[in-house]
């Protein structure tokens, strides 16, 4: 015969069972490994931050959420433009993406590739930290992923093996590699160059064999992968577009985490993104540190930093491309971006 106390204990346990069951089910549904994809590899900031994010999440969850990085976009055969599709197919769980590589599937991401929209870091920050950044995250969220933080891979500068580039005419006839996005083909075609699309994995051998004359990438990547040893002896600093980074998680994966784990994943992404931005800007003179520019000189790279007047000549030459793609990105989004950039000056 059960005592009144025993009967109360059974009732309390029965009432608590429905609450406990979902927690048990969720804990049991965690994978043994979560795959994080990123283009390139350490030490470039975009890739290094992916490792930082994975390490933070794994450590802070005591290994319950075990995140492993697959650099070089190896989960999609080196084709970084397929990462979003692979996330939606369940092949990739976490991703640190460049907006350039998202743009073939999401036209709005071409915003950061509108030529000469952003003169420098203050303009970039105004976009990612304001209404434009929130609008773009809402767009990305409709693609079965959960965006968590904005990062930065850096402003993309132009290098080549032929000659210094100061005027649009200097690009005439050059074979210039670009990563993805028809907007880049339009920009270089407008400038009289011959644009060639290829993956990052194919870029280095293409430069070493002369299959392409030049490429455009952030200075941090140029230095890390020693492109000066691949005949890239001329570099033009023109800040024609910026490469934004996005830390995001596949929505089914995100939904499988508890709220506490979601906060750990999100906060870890924000921390890694903050470090990514700092690393992307290091040594470029924005805060007085010119170590990256000094390293270019030490390696014998001829650096041309365009004046405002010289940049205006390129901006004017590519205005038809800007107008065409501003319409495709969305007139209202482009207008917001221009207003935010103007206000940041």
């Amino acid at each position: 015969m059960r005592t009144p106390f025993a009967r109360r204990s059974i009732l309390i346990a029965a009432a608590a069972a429905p609450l406990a069951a979902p927690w048990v089910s969720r804990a049991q549904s965690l994978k043994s490994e979560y795959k994080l994809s990123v283009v390139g590899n350490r030490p470039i900031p975009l890739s290094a931050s992916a490792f930082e994010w994975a390490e933070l999440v794994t450590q802070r969850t005591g290994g319950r959420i075990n995140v492993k990085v697959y650099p070089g976009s190896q989960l999609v055969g080196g084709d970084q433009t397929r990462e979003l599709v692979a996330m939606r197919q369940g092949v990739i769980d976490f991703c640190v993406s460049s907006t350039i590589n998202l743009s073939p599937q999401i036209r709005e991401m071409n915003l950061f590739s509108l030529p000469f929209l952003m003169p420098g870091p203050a303009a970039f920050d105004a976009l990612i930290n304001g209404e434009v950044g929130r609008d773009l995250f809402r767009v990305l969220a409709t693609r079965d992923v959960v965006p968590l933080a904005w990062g930065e891979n850096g402003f993309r500068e132009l290098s080549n093996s032929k000659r210094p580039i100061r005027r649009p005419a200097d690009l005439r006839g050059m074979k210039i590699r670009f990563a993805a996005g028809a907007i880049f083909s339009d920009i270089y075609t407008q400038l009289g160059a011959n644009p060639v699309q290829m993956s990052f994995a194919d870029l280095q051998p293409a430069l070493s064999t002369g299959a392409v004359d030049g490429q455009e990438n952030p200075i941090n990547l140029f230095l890390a992968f020693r492109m000066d040893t691949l005949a890239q002896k001329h570099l033009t600093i023109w800040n024609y577009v910026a490469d934004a980074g996005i830390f995001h998680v596949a929505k089914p994966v995100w939904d499988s985490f508890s709220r506490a784990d979601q906060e750990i994943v999100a906060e870890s992404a924000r921390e890694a993104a903050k470090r990514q931005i700092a690393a992307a800007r290091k040594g470029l003179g924005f805060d007085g540190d010119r170590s990256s520019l000094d390293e270019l000189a030490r390696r014998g790279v001829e650096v041309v930093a365009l004046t405002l007047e010289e940049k205006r000549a390129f901006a004017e030459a590519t205005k038809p491309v800007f107008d065409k793609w501003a319409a495709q990105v969305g007139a209202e989004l482009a207008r917001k971006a221009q207003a935010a950039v103007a206000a940041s000056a």
Side-chain angles (χ1 to χ4, degrees):
M1 181 176 178
R2 294 189 178 96
T3 65
F5 175 80
R7 285 196 295 271
R8 283 197 301 273
S9 298
I10 292 170
L11 289 173
I12 292 170
L19 298 176
W23 183 89
V24 172
S25 174
R26 176 166 288 170
Q28 289 176 340
S29 71
L30 292 178
K31 299 180 181 182
S32 60
E33 176 187 291
Y34 289 87
K35 294 178 171 61
L36 194 166
S37 182
V38 67
V39 64
N41 206 338
R42 290 190 257 200
I44 63 172
L46 189 78
S47 305
S49 66
F51 285 91
E52 291 177 0
W53 187 21
E55 289 162 6
L56 288 172
V57 171
T58 302
Q59 291 169 3
R60 291 173 177 178
T61 61
R64 288 182 298 102
I65 300 178
N66 175 38
V67 184
K68 180 179 178 181
V69 180
Y70 289 81
S73 301
Q74 60 186 274
L75 297 174
V76 286
D79 183 356
Q80 60 263 37
T81 65
R82 292 177 49 221
E83 286 176 328
L84 180 61
V85 173
M87 289 186 79
R88 301 182 75 180
Q89 293 173 338
V91 176
I92 294 172
D93 304 304
F94 290 57
C95 196
V96 178
S97 297
S98 156
T99 48
I100 290 173
N101 296 326
L102 290 169
S103 63
Q105 287 83 42
I106 305 176
R107 61 183 175 83
E108 290 88 350
M109 293 299 171
N110 284 293
L111 178 78
F112 293 96
S113 301
L114 292 176
F116 301 97
L117 169 65
M118 297 159 288
F124 179 86
D125 290 345
L127 297 186
I128 65 170
N129 295 323
E131 189 176 356
V132 170
R134 292 189 291 273
D135 286 349
L136 289 171
F137 267 16
R138 280 191 286 269
V139 171
L140 185 55
T142 65
R143 305 304 178 94
D144 301 323
V145 297
V146 178
L148 299 175
W150 282 105
E152 179 190 341
N153 198 30
F155 280 84
R156 299 178 78 86
E157 317 299 5
L158 179 66
S159 73
N160 78 93
S161 61
K162 299 293 186 184
R163 54 184 173 267
I165 303 297
R166 284 192 176 275
R167 304 169 302 136
D170 294 333
L171 268 166
R172 213 164 279 158
M174 276 197 191
K175 292 175 288 186
I176 303 295
R177 174 266 182 181
F178 69 97
I183 187 172
F184 289 93
S185 180
D186 286 354
I187 290 171
Y188 286 100
T189 298
Q190 185 71 29
L191 292 171
N194 297 321
V196 181
Q197 181 178 0
M198 65 176 60
S199 71
F200 185 77
D202 294 331
L203 173 59
Q204 288 168 288
L207 291 174
S208 63
T209 61
V212 294
D213 301 314
Q215 59 85 48
E216 46 81 58
N217 259 307
I219 289 175
N220 67 73
L221 190 147
F222 182 99
L223 290 171
F225 288 95
R226 300 200 61 88
M227 290 186 180
D228 54 290
T229 66
L230 302 173
Q232 299 298 285
K233 293 300 184 181
H234 304 281
L235 188 143
T236 296
I237 298 177
W238 61 345
N239 288 11
Y240 85 122
V241 302
D243 192 2
I246 297 180
F247 293 67
H248 51 136
V249 180
K251 191 172 188 309
V253 172
W254 177 259
D255 289 343
S256 73
F257 296 151
S258 68
R259 287 187 181 178
D261 284 342
Q262 287 176 350
E263 182 52 36
I264 289 173
V265 172
E267 179 58 28
S268 298
R270 290 189 288 268
E271 287 187 28
K274 185 176 180 180
R275 295 176 194 171
Q276 183 189 89
I277 292 172
R281 298 176 183 179
K282 186 179 187 304
L284 299 178
F286 298 130
D287 57 0
D289 176 7
R290 294 179 55 85
S291 56
S292 293
L293 301 177
D294 293 340
E295 178 63 16
L296 287 170
R298 191 187 69 78
R299 295 186 189 182
V301 178
E302 182 179 356
V303 177
V304 171
L306 296 189
T307 65
L308 289 176
E309 185 178 352
E310 287 170 331
K311 287 181 183 180
R312 277 195 291 268
F314 279 96
E316 184 60 31
T318 55
K319 189 174 185 304
V321 179
F322 186 106
D323 292 342
K324 170 188 172 181
W325 282 90
Q328 295 195 29
V329 163
E332 178 61 16
L333 183 62
R335 184 199 64 75
K336 285 182 185 179
Q338 288 176 300
V341 168
S344 72

